[in-house]
Amino acid sequence: MANSGQTDTAVLVAMLSERTTVNVQLVLIGEEEQWQLHYCQVTLDDDAPLMERSWRYSTAVFLELCLPGPTVAALLRGDDQDLHGIRVVSPDPPSSSASSNQMRSQEEWGRVTTPWPRTEWTISRDPYALQPGHGLLVGDGPSFLNFDQALSAFLHQRPHDSHANRSDLWRIVQPQRAGWLSQITIGPDLLTANVTGEALDGSALELSWAAGHQSQPVDGAGAYSFALPSGLAHDSLLMLRRADQWLDWRHFPAPTYGRARDASVVWEQPGPELDLLLATGEGQHLECKREVPEGDSRKKMLKTIAAFASQDGGTVLIGVQDDLQIVGLPDGANVDKQVLRVIGMIRDNLEPVPSYEPRVIEHDGKTVLAIEVSGGGQMYAYRDGQRAEFYVRVGPNTVLARHHEIAAGFRQAQTVTTS
């Protein structure tokens, strides 16, 4: 199947109707006898653990339970249902189709990550449907400052993130455990992939890049290796496949700037990773600094970090010259103190403090400090005294943001927060 597409809702109704039971997480809003469905996540996995929960408040109800498949199918069809003594009503006529996405293993989407590939179907909520309240939630369940915090704790056991997408009314998740890549280890001259799965017969593992490819059959779960005589090529693709269908895959471009790294990929020596990072040179997502800046020169690095955070992320490499020569941090420098200096600069000068990760990379006896900045979906300011300055990245340059760019950034943050 394609990575994404559309599925007729009737197909999903029929699929649910055929299952004896399914695990669901229901979020309802309203009061007293009228409870409207705000969100329903269905997990089509008999092996998934279920922790039955019921949090009830005056304006919201959170339920996690096992329900008959036909009951959930009827709710998806738009039929009101009585569940645990609660009359649950659909907020609007059901959509005729759902968005479908086939996700590889370890891929995060909507705050969900699984060790194996999965297919997800989602149906968006009508933006004009009843919205949850904004007051304290106190009742038969943990107390929360507001609905958003309760929702994030219930669904993800994580603190509320204003950038998390909450626009789905339905989410149906089905694991695909035929085969997946549980770990990939990349060394200077060898790539080893650990393959796991329940139906690996007839599958193959392929490593491809611009100038060629290697392939080998997979005869069961285990470790499979590819020689890398010239190191891992830029833009390589590792694919676990059966005929023309992929089971799982990993892509190795220059490392994804400023985003969470895939925990299943282990770089035995960070040198190859740094080489890939530098392959495209300074640009929209990469800035190099010879050393941790002092005095007034700190502003240039900090405004670049603000620009990365205000757009789609980026990485600052400290210990690398503008000509991409790796010189490392100064000899005798205390690396921990260097990291703390950068952390202090960011904390004291950027508002709000963006999401970032400092990482130490060793390369040919030299130490490089990488500051990986996540794109935040809002504008981040560099504070110069009492004045807040906003910046954006244009190619390899950091420039003052224009009024319309600042306004667009704040509109985007407002849209994500209220979605």
Side-chain angles (χ1 to χ4, degrees):
M1 64 176 290
N3 289 356
S4 61
Q6 295 289 317
T7 300
D8 194 311
T9 304
V11 173
L12 299 178
V13 169
M15 181 172 63
L16 291 172
S17 298
E18 293 173 355
R19 299 185 71 94
T20 304
T21 60
V22 294
N23 295 343
V24 299
Q25 291 175 306
L26 289 165
V27 180
L28 315 174
I29 57 175
E31 56 185 16
E32 300 300 333
E33 298 179 359
Q34 180 76 6
W35 292 99
Q36 187 177 107
L37 180 65
H38 182 75
Y39 177 82
C40 180
Q41 178 163 308
V42 182
T43 303
L44 304 178
D45 185 1
D46 295 333
D47 297 329
L50 175 68
M51 179 176 61
E52 288 204 1
R53 293 180 292 168
S54 175
W55 299 352
R56 303 194 185 206
Y57 309 94
S58 61
T59 58
V61 174
F62 301 81
L63 298 173
E64 182 170 3
L65 65 164
C66 183
L67 291 176
T71 299
V72 181
L75 194 59
L76 176 59
R77 197 165 49 234
D79 300 337
D80 298 349
Q81 297 293 304
D82 290 311
L83 304 175
H84 278 222
I86 299 174
R87 187 66 174 173
V88 180
V89 301
S90 180
D92 45 38
S95 174
S96 61
S97 65
S99 298
S100 62
N101 288 276
Q102 189 173 2
M103 322 295 291
R104 65 169 176 81
S105 64
Q106 298 294 341
E107 183 172 2
E108 180 173 356
W109 186 58
R111 308 194 88 187
V112 173
T113 305
T114 57
W116 44 79
R118 65 194 188 276
T119 302
E120 297 200 3
W121 295 271
T122 56
I123 297 176
S124 296
R125 184 186 312 111
D126 184 344
Y128 300 105
L130 179 67
Q131 296 299 310
H134 299 286
L136 288 163
L137 290 186
V138 181
D140 186 14
S143 298
F144 292 98
L145 186 63
N146 53 46
F147 176 85
D148 287 342
Q149 288 195 352
L151 181 68
S152 187
F154 183 77
L155 296 178
H156 312 295
Q157 293 77 55
R158 289 162 61 177
H160 169 56
D161 179 355
S162 62
H163 310 306
N165 185 356
R166 295 190 295 103
S167 63
D168 293 335
L169 174 64
W170 282 86
R171 183 180 200 150
I172 302 173
V173 182
Q174 183 174 48
Q176 305 292 346
R177 294 200 184 95
W180 70 91
L181 303 167
S182 57
Q183 182 172 295
I184 299 97
T185 303
I186 301 170
D189 56 7
L190 189 71
L191 181 150
T192 301
N194 284 25
V195 177
T196 306
E198 299 174 353
L200 290 167
D201 292 347
S203 60
L205 200 58
E206 180 183 21
L207 179 66
S208 58
W209 62 99
H213 75 283
Q214 303 179 52
S215 181
Q216 55 183 296
V218 172
D219 54 12
Y224 297 82
S225 296
F226 292 96
L228 305 174
S230 301
L232 184 65
H234 174 64
D235 224 23
S236 294
L237 177 66
L238 179 66
M239 178 78 68
L240 178 63
R241 57 183 293 182
R242 180 185 295 113
D244 61 351
Q245 297 290 316
W246 66 264
L247 302 179
D248 201 6
W249 56 272
R250 292 293 189 279
H251 182 216
F252 303 103
T256 306
Y257 302 104
R259 299 182 185 174
R261 303 169 74 234
D262 187 340
S264 68
V265 179
V266 177
W267 297 84
E268 263 188 350
Q269 295 184 4
E273 181 188 15
L274 187 58
D275 290 338
L276 284 176
L277 188 62
L278 293 171
T280 55
E282 281 193 307
Q284 183 76 21
H285 303 98
L286 182 65
E287 176 86 6
C288 297
K289 297 292 180 187
R290 182 183 178 89
E291 57 188 5
V292 177
E294 299 279 359
D296 293 341
S297 63
R298 297 184 307 171
K299 179 177 179 179
K300 185 175 181 181
M301 182 182 74
L302 290 167
K303 70 182 188 181
T304 295
I305 292 174
F308 285 156
S310 296
Q311 294 173 293
D312 55 355
T315 298
V316 177
L317 291 178
I318 302 174
V320 180
Q321 296 184 152
D322 290 344
D323 61 2
L324 306 185
Q325 180 181 351
I326 300 171
V327 296
L329 297 176
D331 291 339
N334 185 307
V335 176
D336 290 340
K337 288 184 178 179
Q338 300 278 303
V339 172
L340 289 175
R341 282 176 57 197
V342 174
I343 291 174
M345 292 180 202
I346 295 173
R347 182 189 63 235
D348 295 340
N349 295 276
L350 300 186
E351 294 183 2
V353 176
S355 176
Y356 68 96
E357 178 187 359
R359 289 201 300 118
V360 176
I361 299 176
E362 301 294 339
H363 184 276
D364 291 340
K366 298 181 176 64
T367 301
V368 174
L369 176 57
I371 309 299
E372 297 179 336
V373 185
S374 298
Q378 69 175 76
M379 296 302 293
Y380 291 80
Y382 169 79
R383 181 153 304 272
D384 187 3
Q386 297 301 313
R387 185 177 62 182
E389 299 175 353
F390 296 93
Y391 292 89
V392 294
R393 194 75 170 168
V394 179
N397 301 310
T398 300
V399 300
L400 276 168
R402 298 176 180 177
H403 291 301
H404 74 272
E405 292 170 323
I406 297 172
F410 280 106
R411 282 197 302 271
Q412 178 184 2
Q414 179 65 25
T415 299
V416 173
T417 301
T418 59
S419 65

